[in-house]
PDB file of all heavy atoms in Angstrom:
ATOM      1  N   ALA A  23      96.437-128.857 186.865  1.00 96.00           N
ATOM      2  CA  ALA A  23      97.092-129.243 185.612  1.00 96.00           C
ATOM      3  C   ALA A  23      97.433-128.030 184.760  1.00 96.00           C
ATOM      4  O   ALA A  23      96.813-126.968 184.865  1.00 96.00           O
ATOM      5  CB  ALA A  23      96.186-130.189 184.833  1.00 96.00           C
ATOM      6  N   ALA A  24      98.410-128.218 183.884  1.00 97.00           N
ATOM      7  CA  ALA A  24      98.828-127.143 182.984  1.00 97.00           C
ATOM      8  C   ALA A  24      97.683-126.680 182.092  1.00 97.00           C
ATOM      9  O   ALA A  24      97.632-125.509 181.703  1.00 97.00           O
ATOM     10  CB  ALA A  24     100.005-127.614 182.129  1.00 97.00           C
ATOM     11  N   ALA A  25      96.756-127.571 181.768  1.00 96.00           N
ATOM     12  CA  ALA A  25      95.626-127.201 180.908  1.00 96.00           C
ATOM     13  C   ALA A  25      94.818-126.060 181.516  1.00 96.00           C
ATOM     14  O   ALA A  25      94.320-125.191 180.792  1.00 96.00           O
ATOM     15  CB  ALA A  25      94.732-128.411 180.664  1.00 96.00           C
ATOM     16  N   ASP A  26      94.689-126.039 182.844  1.00 96.00           N
ATOM     17  CA  ASP A  26      93.942-124.959 183.498  1.00 96.00           C
ATOM     18  C   ASP A  26      94.678-123.631 183.360  1.00 96.00           C
ATOM     19  O   ASP A  26      94.057-122.587 183.168  1.00 96.00           O
ATOM     20  CB  ASP A  26      93.726-125.284 184.979  1.00 96.00           C
ATOM     21  CG  ASP A  26      92.860-126.511 185.169  1.00 96.00           C
ATOM     22  OD1 ASP A  26      91.808-126.598 184.525  1.00 96.00           O
ATOM     23  OD2 ASP A  26      93.249-127.399 185.946  1.00 96.00           O
ATOM     24  N   ARG A  27      95.989-123.661 183.451  1.00 97.00           N
ATOM     25  CA  ARG A  27      96.764-122.425 183.304  1.00 97.00           C
ATOM     26  C   ARG A  27      96.762-121.943 181.853  1.00 97.00           C
ATOM     27  O   ARG A  27      96.728-120.739 181.597  1.00 97.00           O
ATOM     28  CB  ARG A  27      98.181-122.636 183.833  1.00 97.00           C
ATOM     29  CG  ARG A  27      98.219-122.802 185.355  1.00 97.00           C
ATOM     30  CD  ARG A  27      99.628-122.930 185.882  1.00 97.00           C
ATOM     31  NE  ARG A  27     100.259-124.203 185.538  1.00 97.00           N
ATOM     32  CZ  ARG A  27     100.078-125.331 186.213  1.00 97.00           C
ATOM     33  NH1 ARG A  27      99.269-125.361 187.259  1.00 97.00           N
ATOM     34  NH2 ARG A  27     100.714-126.439 185.860  1.00 97.00           N
ATOM     35  N   ARG A  28      96.802-122.874 180.903  1.00 97.00           N
ATOM     36  CA  ARG A  28      96.681-122.465 179.494  1.00 97.00           C
ATOM     37  C   ARG A  28      95.331-121.811 179.248  1.00 97.00           C
ATOM     38  O   ARG A  28      95.235-120.810 178.527  1.00 97.00           O
ATOM     39  CB  ARG A  28      96.848-123.675 178.575  1.00 97.00           C
ATOM     40  CG  ARG A  28      98.275-124.144 178.393  1.00 97.00           C
ATOM     41  CD  ARG A  28      98.391-125.092 177.217  1.00 97.00           C
ATOM     42  NE  ARG A  28      97.591-126.293 177.369  1.00 97.00           N
ATOM     43  CZ  ARG A  28      98.000-127.395 177.994  1.00 97.00           C
ATOM     44  NH1 ARG A  28      99.214-127.446 178.509  1.00 97.00           N
ATOM     45  NH2 ARG A  28      97.213-128.453 178.087  1.00 97.00           N
ATOM     46  N   ARG A  29      94.293-122.369 179.835  1.00 96.00           N
ATOM     47  CA  ARG A  29      92.949-121.803 179.656  1.00 96.00           C
ATOM     48  C   ARG A  29      92.892-120.392 180.252  1.00 96.00           C
ATOM     49  O   ARG A  29      92.295-119.486 179.665  1.00 96.00           O
ATOM     50  CB  ARG A  29      91.925-122.719 180.323  1.00 96.00           C
ATOM     51  CG  ARG A  29      90.483-122.398 179.966  1.00 96.00           C
ATOM     52  CD  ARG A  29      89.541-123.426 180.567  1.00 96.00           C
ATOM     53  NE  ARG A  29      89.819-124.762 180.056  1.00 96.00           N
ATOM     54  CZ  ARG A  29      90.182-125.797 180.793  1.00 96.00           C
ATOM     55  NH1 ARG A  29      90.325-125.668 182.113  1.00 96.00           N
ATOM     56  NH2 ARG A  29      90.404-126.973 180.255  1.00 96.00           N
ATOM     57  N   PHE A  30      93.503-120.203 181.405  1.00 97.00           N
ATOM     58  CA  PHE A  30      93.571-118.888 182.042  1.00 97.00           C
ATOM     59  C   PHE A  30      94.302-117.901 181.136  1.00 97.00           C
ATOM     60  O   PHE A  30      93.844-116.771 180.921  1.00 97.00           O
ATOM     61  CB  PHE A  30      94.295-119.035 183.386  1.00 97.00           C
ATOM     62  CG  PHE A  30      94.525-117.755 184.127  1.00 97.00           C
ATOM     63  CD1 PHE A  30      93.489-117.094 184.759  1.00 97.00           C
ATOM     64  CD2 PHE A  30      95.809-117.214 184.217  1.00 97.00           C
ATOM     65  CE1 PHE A  30      93.699-115.918 185.465  1.00 97.00           C
ATOM     66  CE2 PHE A  30      96.035-116.037 184.921  1.00 97.00           C
ATOM     67  CZ  PHE A  30      94.978-115.388 185.542  1.00 97.00           C
ATOM     68  N   LEU A  31      95.433-118.327 180.588  1.00 97.00           N
ATOM     69  CA  LEU A  31      96.204-117.472 179.686  1.00 97.00           C
ATOM     70  C   LEU A  31      95.433-117.162 178.411  1.00 97.00           C
ATOM     71  O   LEU A  31      95.425-116.020 177.936  1.00 97.00           O
ATOM     72  CB  LEU A  31      97.533-118.154 179.352  1.00 97.00           C
ATOM     73  CG  LEU A  31      98.435-117.462 178.333  1.00 97.00           C
ATOM     74  CD1 LEU A  31      98.820-116.060 178.788  1.00 97.00           C
ATOM     75  CD2 LEU A  31      99.680-118.312 178.080  1.00 97.00           C
ATOM     76  N   ASP A  32      94.758-118.169 177.867  1.00 97.00           N
ATOM     77  CA  ASP A  32      94.019-117.949 176.623  1.00 97.00           C
ATOM     78  C   ASP A  32      92.817-117.031 176.834  1.00 97.00           C
ATOM     79  O   ASP A  32      92.438-116.282 175.928  1.00 97.00           O
ATOM     80  CB  ASP A  32      93.585-119.287 176.022  1.00 97.00           C
ATOM     81  CG  ASP A  32      94.739-120.036 175.373  1.00 97.00           C
ATOM     82  OD1 ASP A  32      95.687-119.375 174.908  1.00 97.00           O
ATOM     83  OD2 ASP A  32      94.697-121.284 175.332  1.00 97.00           O
ATOM     84  N   ARG A  33      92.223-117.077 178.005  1.00 96.00           N
ATOM     85  CA  ARG A  33      91.134-116.139 178.304  1.00 96.00           C
ATOM     86  C   ARG A  33      91.670-114.710 178.337  1.00 96.00           C
ATOM     87  O   ARG A  33      91.032-113.784 177.836  1.00 96.00           O
ATOM     88  CB  ARG A  33      90.484-116.520 179.640  1.00 96.00           C
ATOM     89  CG  ARG A  33      89.515-115.508 180.229  1.00 96.00           C
ATOM     90  CD  ARG A  33      88.382-115.130 179.328  1.00 96.00           C
ATOM     91  NE  ARG A  33      87.549-116.249 178.940  1.00 96.00           N
ATOM     92  CZ  ARG A  33      86.517-116.148 178.113  1.00 96.00           C
ATOM     93  NH1 ARG A  33      86.219-114.975 177.584  1.00 96.00           N
ATOM     94  NH2 ARG A  33      85.811-117.209 177.791  1.00 96.00           N
ATOM     95  N   ILE A  34      92.853-114.514 178.900  1.00 97.00           N
ATOM     96  CA  ILE A  34      93.482-113.196 178.897  1.00 97.00           C
ATOM     97  C   ILE A  34      93.750-112.753 177.459  1.00 97.00           C
ATOM     98  O   ILE A  34      93.438-111.632 177.058  1.00 97.00           O
ATOM     99  CB  ILE A  34      94.786-113.218 179.709  1.00 97.00           C
ATOM    100  CG1 ILE A  34      94.484-113.425 181.196  1.00 97.00           C
ATOM    101  CG2 ILE A  34      95.576-111.918 179.513  1.00 97.00           C
ATOM    102  CD1 ILE A  34      95.720-113.680 182.039  1.00 97.00           C
ATOM    103  N   ALA A  35      94.338-113.660 176.664  1.00 97.00           N
ATOM    104  CA  ALA A  35      94.674-113.337 175.274  1.00 97.00           C
ATOM    105  C   ALA A  35      93.431-112.996 174.468  1.00 97.00           C
ATOM    106  O   ALA A  35      93.461-112.107 173.600  1.00 97.00           O
ATOM    107  CB  ALA A  35      95.415-114.514 174.639  1.00 97.00           C
ATOM    108  N   LEU A  36      92.328-113.683 174.740  1.00 96.00           N
ATOM    109  CA  LEU A  36      91.090-113.446 174.004  1.00 96.00           C
ATOM    110  C   LEU A  36      90.590-112.019 174.184  1.00 96.00           C
ATOM    111  O   LEU A  36      89.982-111.445 173.280  1.00 96.00           O
ATOM    112  CB  LEU A  36      90.025-114.441 174.477  1.00 96.00           C
ATOM    113  CG  LEU A  36      88.672-114.410 173.782  1.00 96.00           C
ATOM    114  CD1 LEU A  36      88.810-114.751 172.304  1.00 96.00           C
ATOM    115  CD2 LEU A  36      87.715-115.389 174.463  1.00 96.00           C
ATOM    116  N   GLY A  37      90.846-111.426 175.346  1.00 96.00           N
ATOM    117  CA  GLY A  37      90.418-110.052 175.568  1.00 96.00           C
ATOM    118  C   GLY A  37      91.099-109.076 174.633  1.00 96.00           C
ATOM    119  O   GLY A  37      90.503-108.075 174.217  1.00 96.00           O
ATOM    120  N   PHE A  38      92.343-109.369 174.284  1.00 97.00           N
ATOM    121  CA  PHE A  38      93.084-108.476 173.387  1.00 97.00           C
ATOM    122  C   PHE A  38      92.886-108.838 171.921  1.00 97.00           C
ATOM    123  O   PHE A  38      92.963-107.961 171.052  1.00 97.00           O
ATOM    124  CB  PHE A  38      94.579-108.528 173.720  1.00 97.00           C
ATOM    125  CG  PHE A  38      94.905-108.062 175.109  1.00 97.00           C
ATOM    126  CD1 PHE A  38      95.194-108.967 176.114  1.00 97.00           C
ATOM    127  CD2 PHE A  38      94.896-106.708 175.414  1.00 97.00           C
ATOM    128  CE1 PHE A  38      95.483-108.545 177.403  1.00 97.00           C
ATOM    129  CE2 PHE A  38      95.180-106.270 176.702  1.00 97.00           C
ATOM    130  CZ  PHE A  38      95.477-107.191 177.694  1.00 97.00           C
ATOM    131  N   GLU A  39      92.641-110.104 171.642  1.00 96.00           N
ATOM    132  CA  GLU A  39      92.476-110.564 170.266  1.00 96.00           C
ATOM    133  C   GLU A  39      91.241-111.460 170.181  1.00 96.00           C
ATOM    134  O   GLU A  39      91.294-112.650 170.466  1.00 96.00           O
ATOM    135  CB  GLU A  39      93.716-111.342 169.817  1.00 96.00           C
ATOM    136  CG  GLU A  39      93.620-111.956 168.434  1.00 96.00           C
ATOM    137  CD  GLU A  39      93.080-110.999 167.393  1.00 96.00           C
ATOM    138  OE1 GLU A  39      93.768-110.006 167.086  1.00 96.00           O
ATOM    139  OE2 GLU A  39      91.952-111.232 166.902  1.00 96.00           O
ATOM    140  N   PRO A  40      90.074-110.896 169.805  1.00 94.00           N
ATOM    141  CA  PRO A  40      88.836-111.677 169.791  1.00 94.00           C
ATOM    142  C   PRO A  40      88.882-112.905 168.894  1.00 94.00           C
ATOM    143  O   PRO A  40      88.126-113.855 169.111  1.00 94.00           O
ATOM    144  CB  PRO A  40      87.797-110.662 169.284  1.00 94.00           C
ATOM    145  CG  PRO A  40      88.358-109.332 169.649  1.00 94.00           C
ATOM    146  CD  PRO A  40      89.832-109.475 169.500  1.00 94.00           C
ATOM    147  N   GLY A  41      89.759-112.916 167.870  1.00 94.00           N
ATOM    148  CA  GLY A  41      89.846-114.072 166.990  1.00 94.00           C
ATOM    149  C   GLY A  41      90.659-115.223 167.565  1.00 94.00           C
ATOM    150  O   GLY A  41      90.771-116.280 166.927  1.00 94.00           O
ATOM    151  N   HIS A  42      91.208-115.037 168.765  1.00 96.00           N
ATOM    152  CA  HIS A  42      92.063-116.065 169.366  1.00 96.00           C
ATOM    153  C   HIS A  42      91.305-117.371 169.582  1.00 96.00           C
ATOM    154  O   HIS A  42      91.876-118.458 169.408  1.00 96.00           O
ATOM    155  CB  HIS A  42      92.624-115.549 170.692  1.00 96.00           C
ATOM    156  CG  HIS A  42      93.594-116.476 171.350  1.00 96.00           C
ATOM    157  ND1 HIS A  42      94.810-116.813 170.789  1.00 96.00           N
ATOM    158  CD2 HIS A  42      93.518-117.154 172.532  1.00 96.00           C
ATOM    159  CE1 HIS A  42      95.455-117.638 171.596  1.00 96.00           C
ATOM    160  NE2 HIS A  42      94.698-117.866 172.661  1.00 96.00           N
ATOM    161  N   ALA A  43      90.043-117.293 169.938  1.00 94.00           N
ATOM    162  CA  ALA A  43      89.262-118.514 170.181  1.00 94.00           C
ATOM    163  C   ALA A  43      89.101-119.313 168.895  1.00 94.00           C
ATOM    164  O   ALA A  43      89.259-120.546 168.894  1.00 94.00           O
ATOM    165  CB  ALA A  43      87.896-118.164 170.760  1.00 94.00           C
ATOM    166  N   GLU A  44      88.789-118.640 167.791  1.00 95.00           N
ATOM    167  CA  GLU A  44      88.624-119.343 166.518  1.00 95.00           C
ATOM    168  C   GLU A  44      89.940-119.974 166.078  1.00 95.00           C
ATOM    169  O   GLU A  44      89.959-121.094 165.548  1.00 95.00           O
ATOM    170  CB  GLU A  44      88.106-118.387 165.448  1.00 95.00           C
ATOM    171  CG  GLU A  44      86.663-117.943 165.674  1.00 95.00           C
ATOM    172  CD  GLU A  44      86.160-117.046 164.559  1.00 95.00           C
ATOM    173  OE1 GLU A  44      86.984-116.597 163.735  1.00 95.00           O
ATOM    174  OE2 GLU A  44      84.938-116.805 164.515  1.00 95.00           O
ATOM    175  N   THR A  45      91.050-119.268 166.298  1.00 97.00           N
ATOM    176  CA  THR A  45      92.353-119.829 165.954  1.00 97.00           C
ATOM    177  C   THR A  45      92.629-121.085 166.770  1.00 97.00           C
ATOM    178  O   THR A  45      93.108-122.096 166.249  1.00 97.00           O
ATOM    179  CB  THR A  45      93.470-118.794 166.211  1.00 97.00           C
ATOM    180  OG1 THR A  45      93.186-117.600 165.477  1.00 97.00           O
ATOM    181  CG2 THR A  45      94.814-119.328 165.759  1.00 97.00           C
ATOM    182  N   SER A  46      92.316-121.029 168.056  1.00 97.00           N
ATOM    183  CA  SER A  46      92.548-122.177 168.934  1.00 97.00           C
ATOM    184  C   SER A  46      91.681-123.363 168.535  1.00 97.00           C
ATOM    185  O   SER A  46      92.141-124.518 168.556  1.00 97.00           O
ATOM    186  CB  SER A  46      92.274-121.789 170.390  1.00 97.00           C
ATOM    187  OG  SER A  46      93.137-120.735 170.801  1.00 97.00           O
ATOM    188  N   ILE A  47      90.436-123.100 168.171  1.00 96.00           N
ATOM    189  CA  ILE A  47      89.533-124.174 167.744  1.00 96.00           C
ATOM    190  C   ILE A  47      90.059-124.826 166.469  1.00 96.00           C
ATOM    191  O   ILE A  47      90.047-126.060 166.328  1.00 96.00           O
ATOM    192  CB  ILE A  47      88.110-123.627 167.540  1.00 96.00           C
ATOM    193  CG1 ILE A  47      87.494-123.265 168.893  1.00 96.00           C
ATOM    194  CG2 ILE A  47      87.235-124.643 166.815  1.00 96.00           C
ATOM    195  CD1 ILE A  47      86.192-122.495 168.781  1.00 96.00           C
ATOM    196  N   ALA A  48      90.533-124.013 165.521  1.00 97.00           N
ATOM    197  CA  ALA A  48      91.074-124.556 164.271  1.00 97.00           C
ATOM    198  C   ALA A  48      92.300-125.426 164.542  1.00 97.00           C
ATOM    199  O   ALA A  48      92.480-126.487 163.923  1.00 97.00           O
ATOM    200  CB  ALA A  48      91.430-123.414 163.318  1.00 97.00           C
ATOM    201  N   TYR A  49      93.147-124.995 165.463  1.00 98.00           N
ATOM    202  CA  TYR A  49      94.338-125.770 165.825  1.00 98.00           C
ATOM    203  C   TYR A  49      93.933-127.118 166.433  1.00 98.00           C
ATOM    204  O   TYR A  49      94.447-128.176 166.037  1.00 98.00           O
ATOM    205  CB  TYR A  49      95.192-124.976 166.811  1.00 98.00           C
ATOM    206  CG  TYR A  49      96.412-125.717 167.304  1.00 98.00           C
ATOM    207  CD1 TYR A  49      97.608-125.680 166.596  1.00 98.00           C
ATOM    208  CD2 TYR A  49      96.368-126.461 168.478  1.00 98.00           C
ATOM    209  CE1 TYR A  49      98.731-126.377 167.045  1.00 98.00           C
ATOM    210  CE2 TYR A  49      97.482-127.148 168.936  1.00 98.00           C
ATOM    211  CZ  TYR A  49      98.651-127.103 168.215  1.00 98.00           C
ATOM    212  OH  TYR A  49      99.749-127.795 168.657  1.00 98.00           O
ATOM    213  N   GLU A  50      93.007-127.087 167.388  1.00 98.00           N
ATOM    214  CA  GLU A  50      92.584-128.312 168.056  1.00 98.00           C
ATOM    215  C   GLU A  50      91.920-129.271 167.073  1.00 98.00           C
ATOM    216  O   GLU A  50      92.135-130.493 167.139  1.00 98.00           O
ATOM    217  CB  GLU A  50      91.618-127.976 169.194  1.00 98.00           C
ATOM    218  CG  GLU A  50      92.243-127.216 170.347  1.00 98.00           C
ATOM    219  CD  GLU A  50      93.113-128.093 171.219  1.00 98.00           C
ATOM    220  OE1 GLU A  50      92.954-129.336 171.166  1.00 98.00           O
ATOM    221  OE2 GLU A  50      93.954-127.551 171.960  1.00 98.00           O
ATOM    222  N   LYS A  51      91.122-128.736 166.163  1.00 98.00           N
ATOM    223  CA  LYS A  51      90.438-129.583 165.178  1.00 98.00           C
ATOM    224  C   LYS A  51      91.458-130.287 164.288  1.00 98.00           C
ATOM    225  O   LYS A  51      91.347-131.493 164.033  1.00 98.00           O
ATOM    226  CB  LYS A  51      89.484-128.732 164.340  1.00 98.00           C
ATOM    227  CG  LYS A  51      88.683-129.517 163.323  1.00 98.00           C
ATOM    228  CD  LYS A  51      87.720-128.603 162.568  1.00 98.00           C
ATOM    229  CE  LYS A  51      86.928-129.390 161.531  1.00 98.00           C
ATOM    230  NZ  LYS A  51      85.995-128.491 160.778  1.00 98.00           N
ATOM    231  N   ALA A  52      92.465-129.553 163.794  1.00 98.00           N
ATOM    232  CA  ALA A  52      93.491-130.156 162.943  1.00 98.00           C
ATOM    233  C   ALA A  52      94.305-131.181 163.732  1.00 98.00           C
ATOM    234  O   ALA A  52      94.674-132.243 163.202  1.00 98.00           O
ATOM    235  CB  ALA A  52      94.401-129.068 162.371  1.00 98.00           C
ATOM    236  N   MET A  53      94.582-130.888 164.993  1.00 98.00           N
ATOM    237  CA  MET A  53      95.367-131.818 165.810  1.00 98.00           C
ATOM    238  C   MET A  53      94.606-133.117 166.047  1.00 98.00           C
ATOM    239  O   MET A  53      95.187-134.213 165.980  1.00 98.00           O
ATOM    240  CB  MET A  53      95.749-131.172 167.132  1.00 98.00           C
ATOM    241  CG  MET A  53      96.611-132.071 168.019  1.00 98.00           C
ATOM    242  SD  MET A  53      97.214-131.255 169.516  1.00 98.00           S
ATOM    243  CE  MET A  53      95.653-130.968 170.371  1.00 98.00           C
ATOM    244  N   ARG A  54      93.318-133.026 166.330  1.00 98.00           N
ATOM    245  CA  ARG A  54      92.527-134.243 166.537  1.00 98.00           C
ATOM    246  C   ARG A  54      92.499-135.098 165.275  1.00 98.00           C
ATOM    247  O   ARG A  54      92.604-136.328 165.343  1.00 98.00           O
ATOM    248  CB  ARG A  54      91.106-133.879 166.982  1.00 98.00           C
ATOM    249  CG  ARG A  54      91.023-133.363 168.411  1.00 98.00           C
ATOM    250  CD  ARG A  54      89.579-133.367 168.899  1.00 98.00           C
ATOM    251  NE  ARG A  54      88.725-132.502 168.093  1.00 98.00           N
ATOM    252  CZ  ARG A  54      88.507-131.227 168.345  1.00 98.00           C
ATOM    253  NH1 ARG A  54      89.087-130.655 169.397  1.00 98.00           N
ATOM    254  NH2 ARG A  54      87.712-130.509 167.586  1.00 98.00           N
ATOM    255  N   ALA A  55      92.361-134.450 164.120  1.00 96.00           N
ATOM    256  CA  ALA A  55      92.358-135.196 162.860  1.00 96.00           C
ATOM    257  C   ALA A  55      93.713-135.858 162.618  1.00 96.00           C
ATOM    258  O   ALA A  55      93.784-137.007 162.163  1.00 96.00           O
ATOM    259  CB  ALA A  55      92.010-134.260 161.704  1.00 96.00           C
ATOM    260  N   ARG A  56      94.791-135.151 162.919  1.00 97.00           N
ATOM    261  CA  ARG A  56      96.130-135.736 162.768  1.00 97.00           C
ATOM    262  C   ARG A  56      96.313-136.934 163.695  1.00 97.00           C
ATOM    263  O   ARG A  56      96.850-137.977 163.291  1.00 97.00           O
ATOM    264  CB  ARG A  56      97.189-134.671 163.074  1.00 97.00           C
ATOM    265  CG  ARG A  56      98.635-135.171 162.993  1.00 97.00           C
ATOM    266  CD  ARG A  56      99.603-134.047 163.296  1.00 97.00           C
ATOM    267  NE  ARG A  56     101.005-134.468 163.165  1.00 97.00           N
ATOM    268  CZ  ARG A  56     101.745-134.971 164.144  1.00 97.00           C
ATOM    269  NH1 ARG A  56     101.201-135.104 165.371  1.00 97.00           N
ATOM    270  NH2 ARG A  56     103.012-135.315 163.932  1.00 97.00           N
TER     271      ARG A  56
END
């Protein structure tokens, strides 16, 4: 599934930007509430 490839990409991105995980969590939290 595409979700696995997004996770792979986000793990790569996290290496360059440590705050990427917190940004992603904030996005998912707001989306679930919406």
Side-chain angles (χ1 to χ4, degrees):
D26 296 312
R27 291 183 289 278
R28 283 195 299 273
R29 192 175 299 119
F30 176 74
L31 175 59
D32 285 332
R33 169 56 60 182
I34 292 171
L36 183 62
F38 298 103
E39 176 46 67
H42 184 64
E44 291 183 349
T45 304
S46 300
I47 290 170
Y49 177 87
E50 293 285 341
K51 182 178 179 181
M53 182 174 65
R54 287 195 299 270
R56 178 179 183 270

